[in-house]
């Protein structure tokens, strides 16, 4: 069942149930209040009948005549009977009524009044004390008018109920269409989507309701999917590029080498170059496996000196970039802060990637690495004064295989920062990066307390 049909059915059923309950309560209330009105009128007629029949000998003629007029005016469709102490009818209609018995008369003599409904009549009786003796006055009236009114109300309520149900069905259908319209628009937009348009968000009407929350959530999902496809595309490009060079070198050298006999020195040179390319491929695979979580490097915690690690990295960087100046500034007074806990090889790999990036994008300017104390914790700042990172790239720069738009011809894979981010997270090291284009980049590392 479609949502709009379900909404229509639920709203109609709810309205019908509430209306039926309300109708029953209204009918019962009207019925009870109408009965009370009838009995109250009968009580007045009883009292007027008692005065008319039993006070004739005590009232002046003109007063009794006035009472008589009122009595005749009120008695029209009523039947009055006045009983004495012997349960005999002394005034009014002399015909006996089977619903008025000795038990009812005794009850009235004790309790002063009695009212009840039987068959198609209402009965009301009162005890009347007079100088002639004690009497019971009973008034009986037909319930035709009462039944007619209540039945008419019942018919009206049934008609209103069915008319109301029909109206609520139409209104519910209309309202459900209006409420479902944003969902219909979303479905239409999703059906028109293709893989190359995942970066385009679904347009919404800003209804600020659950549908808007659904659209926002779906757009976030689309954004993540778009990023995933982008990463996948970058990954394929990266792997094909990085593997192509060493494989081409290996295959090219072997093809040339196989054309004629070579000296042992030439064999050794080709083997060395091939082995170097194999190691390069293996390094790429290790990085990829680490990024995907398939491999961890020395995940055990160990305590080591971070300043010594930085000097080792500096030596390795100098072997590759011998003209680059790196300034290491040690401003830590408490020597214990230099001893950190974590995976030394992981942290060394992450720091090497960060420092190498700083060197590659420094435009030949010096690199400054400072170790200081902040909130009784070790803080390392890596500052370069080179290309910097464009503002729009900062939010994505830590994604795998993502490279800034201003890298130019500088070689890179887009793995270094993402790999470093994962390593620092595993070792509980806070990692933040700030940058300004053409002014440089600063990386801040906050190490946990031991």
């Amino acid at each position: 069942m479609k949502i709009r049909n379900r909404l229509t059915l639920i709203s109609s059923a709810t309205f019908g149930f509430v209306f039926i309950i309300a109708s029953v309560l209204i009918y019962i209330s009207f019925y009870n209040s109408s009965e009370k009105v009838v009995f109250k009128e009968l009580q007045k007629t009883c009292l007027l009948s008692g005065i008319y029949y039993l006070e004739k000998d005590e009232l002046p003629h003109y007063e009794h005549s006035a009472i008589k007029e009122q009595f005749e005016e009120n008695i029209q469709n009523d039947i009055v009977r006045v009983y004495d102490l012997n349960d005999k009818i002394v005034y009014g209609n002399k015909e006996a009524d089977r619903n008025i018995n000795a038990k009812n008369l005794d009850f009235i003599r004790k309790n002063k009044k009695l009212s009840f409904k039987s068959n198609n009549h209402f009965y009301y009786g009162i005890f009347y004390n007079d100088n002639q003796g004690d009497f019971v006055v009973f008034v009986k009236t037909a319930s035709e008018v009462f039944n007619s009114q209540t039945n008419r109300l019942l018919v009206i309520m049934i008609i209103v109920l069915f008319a109301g149900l029909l109206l609520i069905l139409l209104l519910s259908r209309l309202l459900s269409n209006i409420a479902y319209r944003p969902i219909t628009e979303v479905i239409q937009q999703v059906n028109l989507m293709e893989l190359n348009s995942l970066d385009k968000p679904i347009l919404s009407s800003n209804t600020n309701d659950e549908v808007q929350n659904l659209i926002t959530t779906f757009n976030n999902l689309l954004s993540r999917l778009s990023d995933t496809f982008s990463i996948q595309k970058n990954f394929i490009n990266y792997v094909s590029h990085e593997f192509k060079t060493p494989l081409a070198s290996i295959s090219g050298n072997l093809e040339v080498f196989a054309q004629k006999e070579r000296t042992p020195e030439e064999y050794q040179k080709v083997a060395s170059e091939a082995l170097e390319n194999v190691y390069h491929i293996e390094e790429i695979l290790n990085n990829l496996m680490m990024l995907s979580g398939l491999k961890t490097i020395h995940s055990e915690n160990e305590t080591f000196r971070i300043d010594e690690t930085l000097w080792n990295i500096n030596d390795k960087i100098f072997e590759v970039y011998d003209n680059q100046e790196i300034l290491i500034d040690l401003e830590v007074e408490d020597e214990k802060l230099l001893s950190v806990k974590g995976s030394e090889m992981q942290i060394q790999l992450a720091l090497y990637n960060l420092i190498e990036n700083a060197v590659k994008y420094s435009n030949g300017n010096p690199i400054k690495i400072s170790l200081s104390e902040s909130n009784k914790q070790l803080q390392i700042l890596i500052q370069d004064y080179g290309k910097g990172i464009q503002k729009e790239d900062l939010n994505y720069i830590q994604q795998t295989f993502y490279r800034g738009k201003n890298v130019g011809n500088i070689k890179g894979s887009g793995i270094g920062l993402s790999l470093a981010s994962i390593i620092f997270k595993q070792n509980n090291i806070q990692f933040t990066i700030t940058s300004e284009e053409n002014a440089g980049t600063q990386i801040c590392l906050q190490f946990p307390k031991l």
Side-chain angles (χ1 to χ4, degrees):
M1 183 182 291
K2 292 184 178 180
I3 294 178
R4 66 181 70 183
N5 295 333
R6 191 181 301 128
L7 288 174
T8 302
L9 181 61
I10 292 174
S11 60
S12 300
T14 303
F15 170 80
F17 177 76
V18 172
F19 190 85
I20 289 172
I21 297 299
S23 299
V24 170
L25 293 176
I26 292 172
Y27 182 80
I28 293 174
S29 176
F30 176 80
Y31 190 94
N32 292 333
S33 62
S34 298
E35 273 193 342
K36 290 180 180 179
V37 171
V38 172
F39 284 127
K40 191 172 182 180
E41 291 299 322
L42 289 179
Q43 183 183 21
K44 292 179 181 178
T45 304
C46 277
L47 184 60
L48 187 61
S49 301
I51 296 173
Y52 172 72
Y53 285 115
L54 301 174
E55 301 294 341
K56 183 177 182 180
D57 58 335
E58 299 180 28
L59 293 174
H61 178 71
Y62 69 91
E63 289 187 10
H64 190 267
S65 297
I67 294 296
K68 181 181 179 180
E69 290 180 5
Q70 295 181 27
F71 174 75
E72 291 175 349
E73 183 181 349
N74 286 277
I75 203 66
Q76 295 175 357
N77 298 319
D78 299 341
I79 298 174
V80 179
R81 294 180 179 90
V82 180
Y83 295 84
D84 61 10
L85 286 175
N86 296 319
D87 298 341
K88 291 182 180 181
I89 302 174
V90 293
Y91 299 105
N93 191 303
K94 301 295 184 178
E95 185 180 351
D97 191 323
R98 63 179 182 177
N99 291 319
I100 303 176
N101 51 42
K103 185 178 179 180
N104 291 338
L105 295 172
D106 289 338
F107 182 87
I108 292 174
R109 292 186 182 104
K110 291 179 181 179
N111 297 283
K112 307 304 179 183
K113 61 182 179 179
L114 174 65
S115 62
F116 62 90
K117 183 182 179 184
S118 179
N119 297 329
N120 296 321
H121 295 86
F122 288 96
Y123 291 83
Y124 198 95
I126 64 171
F127 177 76
Y128 197 97
N129 180 263
D130 187 63
N131 59 350
Q132 302 176 45
D134 295 332
F135 299 90
V136 174
V137 181
F138 247 111
V139 178
K140 169 186 175 182
T141 188
S143 61
E144 293 178 1
V145 176
F146 174 83
N147 291 336
S148 176
Q149 291 177 344
T150 54
N151 291 337
R152 189 181 299 115
L153 176 63
L154 184 61
V155 171
I156 292 173
M157 286 188 168
I158 292 174
I159 294 174
V160 172
L161 173 62
F162 283 103
L165 284 175
L166 180 59
L167 180 62
I168 199 65
L169 275 171
L170 297 176
L171 290 176
S172 297
R173 186 68 179 179
L174 176 62
L175 292 175
S176 62
N177 287 337
I178 295 174
Y180 194 76
R181 189 176 300 156
I183 299 178
T184 303
E185 294 175 356
V186 170
I187 293 174
Q188 292 174 350
Q189 293 183 62
V190 171
N191 289 333
L192 294 174
M193 278 190 171
E194 297 180 358
L195 286 177
N196 57 0
S197 62
L198 289 179
D199 57 336
K200 297 179 180 179
I202 294 176
L203 301 178
S204 66
S205 54
N206 295 322
T207 53
N208 294 323
D209 55 11
E210 289 79 3
V211 175
Q212 178 64 38
N213 293 336
L214 176 63
I215 293 173
T216 302
T217 303
F218 193 78
N219 283 336
N220 292 334
L221 175 62
L222 288 178
S223 178
R224 291 196 295 271
L225 286 175
S226 178
D227 292 342
T228 301
F229 283 122
S230 177
I231 290 173
Q232 184 183 43
K233 182 179 178 180
N234 291 335
F235 170 77
I236 294 172
N237 292 335
Y238 166 75
V239 170
S240 62
H241 178 267
E242 292 295 325
F243 280 20
K244 184 177 181 180
T245 301
L247 288 175
S249 176
I250 293 173
S251 61
N253 286 335
L254 292 178
E255 287 175 359
V256 173
F257 193 75
Q259 291 178 0
K260 63 178 182 179
E261 291 292 332
R262 304 289 179 179
T263 64
E265 290 78 11
E266 290 175 325
Y267 277 114
Q268 186 175 6
K269 180 180 179 182
V270 171
S272 177
E273 291 178 355
L275 190 60
E276 183 179 349
N277 287 315
V278 169
Y279 288 154
H280 180 58
I281 294 174
E282 183 180 11
E283 181 183 0
I284 295 172
L285 289 175
N286 286 335
N287 289 337
L288 293 176
M289 291 174 69
M290 176 178 288
L291 285 172
S292 63
L294 298 177
K295 182 178 180 180
T296 56
I297 303 176
H298 298 287
S299 58
E300 71 275 1
N301 286 332
E302 50 190 329
T303 302
F304 61 96
R305 292 272 301 211
I306 193 67
D307 55 335
E308 295 177 359
T309 300
L310 286 172
W311 286 115
N312 290 336
I313 294 172
N314 183 63
D315 294 339
K316 292 180 180 179
I317 292 289
F318 187 75
E319 292 176 2
V320 181
Y321 306 93
D322 53 353
N323 294 324
Q324 180 64 50
E325 182 180 3
I326 299 178
L327 305 176
I328 299 178
D329 187 9
L330 186 61
E331 302 174 356
V332 179
E333 296 181 359
D334 187 358
E335 190 176 347
K336 294 181 180 179
L337 292 178
L338 296 175
S339 296
V340 299
K341 195 172 184 180
S343 173
E344 183 176 5
M345 291 192 67
Q346 283 187 4
I347 296 174
Q348 181 171 330
L349 175 61
L351 287 172
Y352 182 89
N353 287 337
L354 296 181
I355 296 173
E356 185 183 35
N357 279 345
V359 170
K360 288 195 298 183
Y361 301 107
S362 67
N363 292 334
N365 297 316
I367 306 299
K368 182 178 180 181
I369 302 174
S370 60
L371 292 81
S372 60
E373 181 179 345
S374 176
N375 297 323
K376 297 183 179 180
Q377 293 177 265
L378 175 64
Q379 177 178 277
I380 295 179
L381 296 178
I382 302 173
Q383 177 74 58
D384 70 71
Y385 304 93
K387 288 179 174 291
I389 303 171
Q390 294 181 357
K391 187 176 181 181
E392 58 269 24
D393 289 333
L394 276 176
N395 294 329
Y396 308 100
I397 200 66
Q398 294 184 42
Q399 291 183 4
T400 308
F401 308 119
Y402 187 90
R403 301 193 72 201
K405 298 180 181 63
N406 62 339
V407 295
N409 296 323
I410 299 175
K411 293 183 179 181
S413 61
I415 288 182
L417 278 178
S418 59
L419 183 59
S421 178
I422 294 173
I423 291 175
F424 291 140
K425 185 176 181 180
Q426 289 178 350
N427 290 273
N428 300 318
I429 300 171
Q430 294 182 15
F431 171 54
T432 56
I433 180 170
T434 56
S435 184
E436 184 177 348
E437 190 176 8
N438 298 321
T441 300
Q442 183 184 77
I443 291 174
C444 178
L445 302 176
Q446 194 85 13
F447 286 75
K449 297 179 181 178
L450 289 181

